[in-house]
Amino acid sequence: MNLRELYIEQLQDIYSAETQLVDFLHQLSWKARSTGLKQALGNHLDETKGQVDRLKQVFANHSGANPDGHTCQAMKGLVREGKEALDTHGKSEIIDAHLVANASRIEHYEIAAYTTAISIATSLDYKADVELLKESLKQEKAASNDLEKMAGGGIFSQGLHAAAAK
């Protein structure tokens, strides 16, 4: 395997992660109780669709590269954990805290994936790819920051007293 092949494999992993996330974010936004969290998840769903489109543009820059050549097992696991939380706590007062915790882990995974892809693309002098990938990374960082603000703003303590009273 050479660096270009590793790069394409990394892009396939990100593409798989993002396409899995499109379906999952839709489910999360419906389960959220907080209006702010519903809105943030809905906005990130729209951004994620745009990220999938940008990845398709990146693949178009590389003849013979197929975006569907790999399944991201990490995202598959993160989605599975999120679905387990929805099944277990979907009607409880702490569902929003669960959603924020799961979404934060997902964002950090995506930030790491895009950062790595950008580093490889930079090494290969794929300037057009770098610009497209940086746009997605910027969105992932903003989504992570939004989730951190929600966590710091008390979403983890909402419903705490009601849950403790049961």
Side-chain angles (χ1 to χ4, degrees):
M1 175 177 279
N2 61 35
L3 190 58
R4 182 190 180 281
E5 291 167 337
L6 176 63
Y7 175 63
I8 297 300
E9 183 180 272
Q10 294 296 301
L11 292 175
Q12 290 170 330
D13 191 76
I14 297 170
Y15 182 81
S16 172
E18 296 291 17
T19 56
Q20 290 178 57
L21 195 53
V22 167
D23 293 333
F24 188 54
L25 280 171
H26 184 69
Q27 293 174 33
L28 292 182
S29 65
W30 279 98
K31 292 289 186 170
R33 291 177 153 205
S34 157
T35 303
L37 182 55
K38 275 185 182 292
Q39 184 177 2
L41 292 169
N43 290 344
H44 196 56
L45 172 59
D46 292 338
E47 288 177 347
T48 302
K49 290 176 182 177
Q51 291 163 2
V52 169
D53 289 341
R54 271 192 293 283
L55 286 165
K56 288 177 182 177
Q57 290 176 41
V58 170
F59 277 101
N61 293 338
H62 303 278
S63 64
N66 179 2
D68 295 317
H70 181 78
T71 298
C72 179
Q73 296 300 323
M75 185 60 71
K76 198 172 188 177
L78 289 166
V79 167
R80 184 182 64 249
E81 286 179 7
K83 287 181 179 179
E84 288 170 4
L86 290 177
D87 291 344
T88 305
H89 302 287
K91 295 182 181 174
S92 77
E93 290 82 7
I94 62 166
I95 188 59
D96 284 356
H98 258 289
L99 296 178
V100 167
N102 186 254
S104 291
R105 284 191 297 278
I106 288 170
E107 291 309 319
H108 284 273
Y109 174 77
E110 291 179 303
I111 289 167
Y114 277 108
T115 300
T116 301
I118 290 166
S119 294
I120 298 171
T122 300
S123 295
L124 293 168
D125 201 29
Y126 295 157
K127 291 180 174 104
D129 292 6
V130 169
E131 293 309 311
L132 291 166
L133 295 169
K134 279 185 175 179
E135 181 62 30
S136 294
L137 177 60
K138 179 180 170 186
Q139 290 175 331
E140 299 298 0
K141 287 180 176 180
S144 179
N145 287 336
D146 289 346
L147 291 167
E148 286 176 28
K149 287 177 188 170
M150 284 181 210
I155 205 156
F156 288 137
S157 61
Q158 290 175 1
L160 184 61
H161 299 293
K166 290 184 180 178

